[in-house]
Amino acid sequence: MEINDVVGIDVSKLTIDVVVHKSKSYKQFENTIKGFKSLCKWSLLQSDSESTNLLFVFEHTGLYSYQLAYYLSAEGFNFSIVPGLEIRRSLGIARGKDDKIDAAKIARYAYRLRDEIALSSLDSTEIQKLKNLLTLRDRMVRQRAGYKASLGEMKRVFKKIDNEVLFLCQQKIISNFDKQIIRIDIEMIEIIKEKTVLIEQYELITSIKGIGPQTALYLIVLTSGFTKFKNSRSFASYSGIAPFPNTSGTSVRGRTKVSNLANKKMKSLLDLAAKTSIQHNIEMKTYYNKRIEEGKSKMSTINIIRNKLIARAFAVVNRKTPYVNIMKHVA
């Protein structure tokens, strides 16, 4: 497929600003289905390209861009959702902000990389449901933690006999959060049971000691059922745990380290998984203790174990067999 022209779109809550690269045409539309229909019709009129050779490009803005992506996918248009940081870094220093200028920048960026840019596709219905529920669950867990911390401080300072309502109301809120989080967990398991490939992946991943239900669900969602990443190294890089060299010429010889550009939630879950694995998996515990005795860094060792867990997750899914603990069979 050859891309002849690009449409850059800056997505806001209520409007979308659009620039067709070659003609430099600009127009603003409503962020609604009606607006999307007008956008596609107008873009084809302003460009000399057929619909199959036209590419729509925009940043990921969560709910604001989801409806646009859904419409373009349903209508069979080529589109690509690009990280905003990638666009900004590719275009150099910018001062101020203007939606029209941003749309033009997106169009210019995408046109320059039109032969390399990857087309986007929507996640399956099940993956999208899981993603929304995981987001809601995270928000509830954070809010529950806030109430728990607040209640703990108040109990330390105030007397219960004089503040029964103050304590009781917060305790009920915390209890309700507990119930809703459990409800979400049950619903997520029901969703993956609806699709054979997802429940198989879930069971295969959780067969690895150290990887629990939440880490497994995030692995499935972020990889879109292990279809979005070519290998475990690519996902490790996305998660911010892949080590990269830090050298230049003959004078800069920094230590190899991970990048700060990462999915912080996934990185945190993998950190917990690695520490759990060290405690409960004899193989990982032995490996960890051996490196520490050799004087190796604790953090670098934990990071190696995080990478091992991801590699094993990809391995069990690819070969479709559960993880086998080899050390258990060693005489």
Side-chain angles (χ1 to χ4, degrees):
M1 181 194 62
E2 184 181 357
I3 299 299
N4 296 328
D5 205 354
V6 170
V7 179
I9 306 173
D10 184 77
V11 182
S12 301
K13 181 179 180 180
L14 302 176
T15 60
I16 50 177
D17 292 81
V18 183
V19 170
V20 178
H21 178 73
K22 282 189 175 179
S23 64
K24 308 302 179 188
S25 303
Y26 164 79
K27 193 170 182 179
Q28 187 179 80
F29 300 90
E30 293 179 356
N31 193 351
T32 61
I33 298 297
K34 182 181 177 181
F36 304 152
K37 289 180 181 177
S38 300
L39 155 68
C40 294
K41 185 177 179 180
W42 175 84
S43 298
L44 288 169
L45 289 173
Q46 300 304 314
S47 175
D48 57 1
S49 300
E50 298 293 329
S51 61
T52 53
N53 303 115
L54 189 64
L55 176 65
F56 295 84
V57 181
F58 49 96
E59 295 180 22
H60 174 70
T61 54
L63 289 174
Y64 299 159
S65 60
Y66 175 76
Q67 198 173 21
L68 173 60
Y70 185 84
Y71 179 83
L72 292 174
S73 178
E75 294 298 317
F77 286 100
N78 301 316
F79 70 96
S80 182
I81 305 174
V82 183
L85 180 62
E86 186 176 323
I87 296 172
R88 288 192 293 274
R89 289 199 167 188
S90 72
L91 297 175
I93 298 172
R95 294 177 176 84
K97 175 155 178 31
D98 181 273
D99 291 341
K100 178 181 177 181
I101 294 174
D102 288 346
K105 286 180 177 179
I106 293 170
R108 187 167 72 253
Y109 161 84
Y111 186 78
R112 198 173 66 204
L113 299 175
R114 64 190 182 280
D115 294 330
E116 304 172 20
I117 201 164
L119 298 184
S120 298
S121 59
L122 290 181
D123 293 324
S124 66
T125 303
E126 293 82 6
I127 294 292
Q128 190 59 52
K129 285 180 181 178
L130 289 172
K131 186 181 293 185
N132 292 337
L133 287 170
L134 282 170
T135 301
L136 177 60
R137 188 185 191 280
D138 285 345
R139 191 182 306 132
M140 285 187 169
V141 168
R142 288 195 300 270
Q143 291 175 342
R144 181 181 63 178
Y147 277 107
K148 282 183 175 181
S150 175
L151 181 60
E153 287 299 306
M154 287 179 180
K155 283 183 175 180
R156 186 177 64 84
V157 176
F158 302 132
K159 294 180 179 179
K160 183 177 180 180
I161 194 170
D162 297 326
N163 298 277
E164 286 188 11
V165 174
L166 180 68
F167 293 165
L168 184 61
C169 286
Q170 292 185 87
Q171 190 59 60
K172 284 188 174 182
I173 291 171
I174 293 168
S175 178
N176 190 47
F177 273 128
D178 290 337
K179 291 176 183 176
Q180 298 309 317
I181 289 169
I182 291 171
R183 185 177 179 182
I184 290 172
D185 289 339
I186 293 171
E187 178 64 15
M188 287 192 291
I189 297 299
E190 290 301 315
I191 289 171
I192 64 173
K193 283 181 179 178
E194 292 174 4
K195 200 162 186 178
T196 305
V197 65
L198 294 183
I199 190 63
E200 285 178 352
Q201 288 177 354
Y202 178 81
E203 290 173 350
L204 288 169
I205 297 167
T206 51
S207 71
I208 303 168
K209 268 194 176 180
I211 297 183
Q214 286 302 303
T215 306
L217 286 169
Y218 263 96
L219 278 166
I220 291 170
V221 167
L222 294 178
T223 62
S224 194
F226 288 82
T227 61
K228 282 191 174 180
F229 294 86
K230 293 179 180 179
N231 49 50
S232 59
R233 169 72 188 188
S234 298
F235 188 73
S237 179
Y238 168 80
S239 304
I241 64 169
F244 291 94
N246 182 30
T247 63
S248 179
T250 58
S251 58
V252 178
R253 286 289 181 272
R255 62 187 179 87
T256 300
K257 56 185 180 181
V258 298
S259 171
N260 287 325
L261 299 177
N263 184 309
K264 299 296 173 61
K265 177 64 181 181
M266 191 69 243
K267 187 174 183 178
S268 173
L269 286 171
L270 288 170
D271 188 62
L272 292 173
K275 291 173 180 175
T276 301
S277 184
I278 291 168
Q279 289 181 331
H280 302 287
N281 185 335
I282 186 64
E283 178 190 356
M284 292 298 189
K285 187 174 184 178
T286 303
Y287 175 79
Y288 176 81
N289 290 334
K290 181 182 177 182
R291 279 184 60 89
I292 298 304
E293 288 170 4
E294 292 172 354
K296 305 291 186 181
S297 164
K298 288 184 179 180
M299 283 309 300
S300 69
T301 305
I302 289 173
N303 193 62
I304 291 171
I305 294 173
R306 290 189 292 197
N307 278 276
K308 283 178 178 288
L309 291 175
I310 286 183
R312 289 177 180 182
F314 272 76
V316 296
V317 169
N318 289 333
R319 70 173 183 245
K320 294 182 172 56
T321 57
Y323 175 71
V324 178
N325 186 0
I326 299 173
M327 287 197 72
K328 186 171 67 174
H329 302 289
V330 176

